[in-house]
Amino acid sequence: SSHLPRSPHVFPQHRLGVREPRDMQREIREVLGLPGRPRSRAPLATAQQPASAPLFMLNLYHAMTDDSGNGPPQPHLHRADLIMSFVNIVEHDRTLGYQEPHWKEFHFDLTQIPAGEAVTAAEFRIYKEPSTHPPNTTLHISMFEVVQERSNRESDLFFLDLQTLRSGDEGWLVLDITAASDRWLLNHNKDLGLRLYVETEDGHSLDPGLAGLLGQTAPRSRQPFMVGFFKASQSPVRAPR
Amino acid sequence: TARPLKKKKLNQVNQLPNSNKHLGIFDDGHGSLDREVCRRHELYVSFRDLGWLDSVIAPQGYSAYYCAGECIYPLNSCMNSTNHATMQALVHLMKPDIVPKVCCVPTKLSAISLLYYDRNNNVILRRERNMVVQACGCH
């Protein structure tokens, strides 16, 4: 090995130029998956009211970092290494003044889901207040994915989940939308549309708002949102530098 | 990120600790050779100081640690080393210009959880792997 070329095994040290730290930081943030440019915060007044999705995600963060295991059980948490919450960008209602059935629709922009992530679970969370329309009644709440919207007839829908509760119940209603993830992974650029119906025991369609289900006009801490639990594929390939 | 050190507590800035006197490998505890053996050192990375709190919600920073110190022949058990590193250290002693020293590097790393906003104001919770040094070794 004595005839090997001299290999300088001490790399030259140099101080970073003015621009370099910023470029390095941008590159490091990309590697960590943090957004490159500073996020523009909502107007101060609104930003100070706690919003539902960040509150929920902060609880998940504490559950993920709490080694004592005392916190409330989080079923999907420990199988995922990436959890994303989405606030809905558009909300449609077909309620009073239309022929039945009434429904409420929520659209989500999923373009920020990184490539190479497998969905382990997905939930739609909506807050229900006690309702007296009609009082003390059993309500069936069903959730569908809007697969294809049609201008001249009803959209193509895909059934996701059904929950039964009482009209006087209050709290967060969690609907399982994992079945919709097959399609959204194939086509990130298309918004995910979720449609919600409420029916009484005798099959009468009810306006979701009258049934106590809150939409985008609710206080920020009770607005609906969606959560996706992801597992990175085993060999994430990093883009060459 | 290295910046001129201000008079702040260690956990405020990304600061290297003061080097202090350590036992050298040939030293029997009486300080004949004042060189520090490869081991784990404190390093707190502050997202506040990096200016990342525009999107990072939690944590505000974390203890990352780093590995530093000498990897000197013979590499004994406390250096968490390998047979290969022992041979490289030996050859380095004979041909220092050709074969580099054995390096003090992380041998065990763990993840942290990071809660942040993405570009669309969605809130993301990510398990960032290999962010904290748990153990160092000569390799």
Side-chain angles (χ1 to χ4, degrees), chain A residues 56 123-127 172-175 223-227:
Chain A
F56 173 77
E123 298 170 347
F124 174 75
R125 288 172 169 262
I126 187 165
Y127 194 84
W172 283 100
L173 173 61
V174 181
L175 293 151
Q223 290 178 0
F225 60 97
M226 183 192 126
V227 186

Side-chain angles (χ1 to χ4, degrees), chain A residues 57-67 74 76-83 229-230, chain B residues 112-115 125-128:
Chain A
M57 294 297 282
L58 196 55
N59 289 336
L60 282 192
Y61 169 78
H62 290 311
M64 199 182 237
T65 50
D66 172 17
D67 297 332
Q74 300 284 358
H76 309 305
L77 188 58
H78 297 295
R79 283 180 54 222
D81 44 36
L82 171 67
I83 301 150
F229 297 81
F230 300 85
Chain B
I112 66 166
S113 299
L114 208 54
L115 187 68
L125 174 56
R126 181 188 286 265
R127 210 186 304 268
E128 294 288 359

Side-chain angles (χ1 to χ4, degrees), chain A residues 3-241:
Chain A
H3 55 277
L4 277 177
R6 257 173 72 81
S7 63
H9 44 260
V10 177
F11 291 98
Q13 302 286 332
H14 74 279
R15 287 198 59 78
L16 296 175
V18 173
R19 252 196 83 71
E20 280 175 321
R22 217 175 300 139
D23 296 341
M24 270 179 69
Q25 283 217 31
R26 188 176 306 119
E27 184 172 318
I28 290 168
R29 286 175 76 138
E30 286 298 330
V31 168
L32 293 177
L34 287 171
R37 59 175 173 72
R39 184 185 60 78
S40 55
R41 289 217 182 242
L44 200 59
T46 357
Q48 271 158 356
Q49 298 159 8
S52 48
L55 283 172
F56 173 77
M57 294 297 282
L58 196 55
N59 289 336
L60 282 192
Y61 169 78
H62 290 311
M64 199 182 237
T65 50
D66 172 17
D67 297 332
S68 66
N70 296 339
Q74 300 284 358
H76 309 305
L77 188 58
H78 297 295
R79 283 180 54 222
D81 44 36
L82 171 67
I83 301 150
M84 300 181 78
S85 67
F86 301 88
V87 288
N88 61 299
I89 46 171
V90 171
E91 187 174 310
H92 299 312
D93 285 8
R94 189 166 83 170
T95 52
L96 301 179
Y98 283 86
Q99 72 283 7
E100 291 184 13
H102 307 297
W103 45 256
K104 210 182 211 10
E105 210 171 272
F106 306 87
H107 286 252
F108 295 90
D109 171 4
L110 304 183
T111 51
Q112 294 300 308
I113 297 178
E117 294 284 346
V119 179
T120 56
E123 298 170 347
F124 174 75
R125 288 172 169 262
I126 187 165
Y127 194 84
K128 182 187 175 310
E129 286 181 333
S131 157
T132 54
H133 296 76
N136 208 9
T137 313
T138 297
L139 299 177
H140 301 293
I141 298 173
S142 50
M143 176 127 268
F144 292 81
E145 177 192 1
V146 180
V147 177
Q148 183 63 52
E149 292 189 350
R150 307 282 180 190
S151 51
N152 50 0
R153 60 177 172 79
E154 195 56 82
S155 303
D156 298 348
L157 302 177
F158 176 74
F159 172 74
L160 295 173
D161 194 10
L162 170 69
Q163 302 266 346
T164 299
L165 38 80
R166 304 290 294 174
S167 52
D169 289 351
E170 176 170 13
W172 283 100
L173 173 61
V174 181
L175 293 151
D176 184 355
I177 60 170
T178 310
S181 60
D182 299 341
R183 245 180 302 281
W184 86 38
L185 281 183
L186 296 175
N187 190 352
H188 278 189
N189 301 325
K190 181 170 175 287
D191 287 351
L192 170 67
L194 297 176
R195 185 181 289 185
L196 186 123
Y197 291 92
V198 179
E199 286 179 340
T200 57
E201 197 77 81
D202 51 15
H204 177 60
S205 172
L206 197 59
D207 163 16
L210 283 181
L213 295 169
L214 303 183
Q216 260 186 338
T217 55
R220 272 167 55 90
S221 60
R222 289 185 172 174
Q223 290 178 0
F225 60 97
M226 183 192 126
V227 186
F229 297 81
F230 300 85
K231 187 85 178 159
S233 57
Q234 283 321 309
S235 56
V237 179
R238 241 181 226 161
R241 296 172 62 171

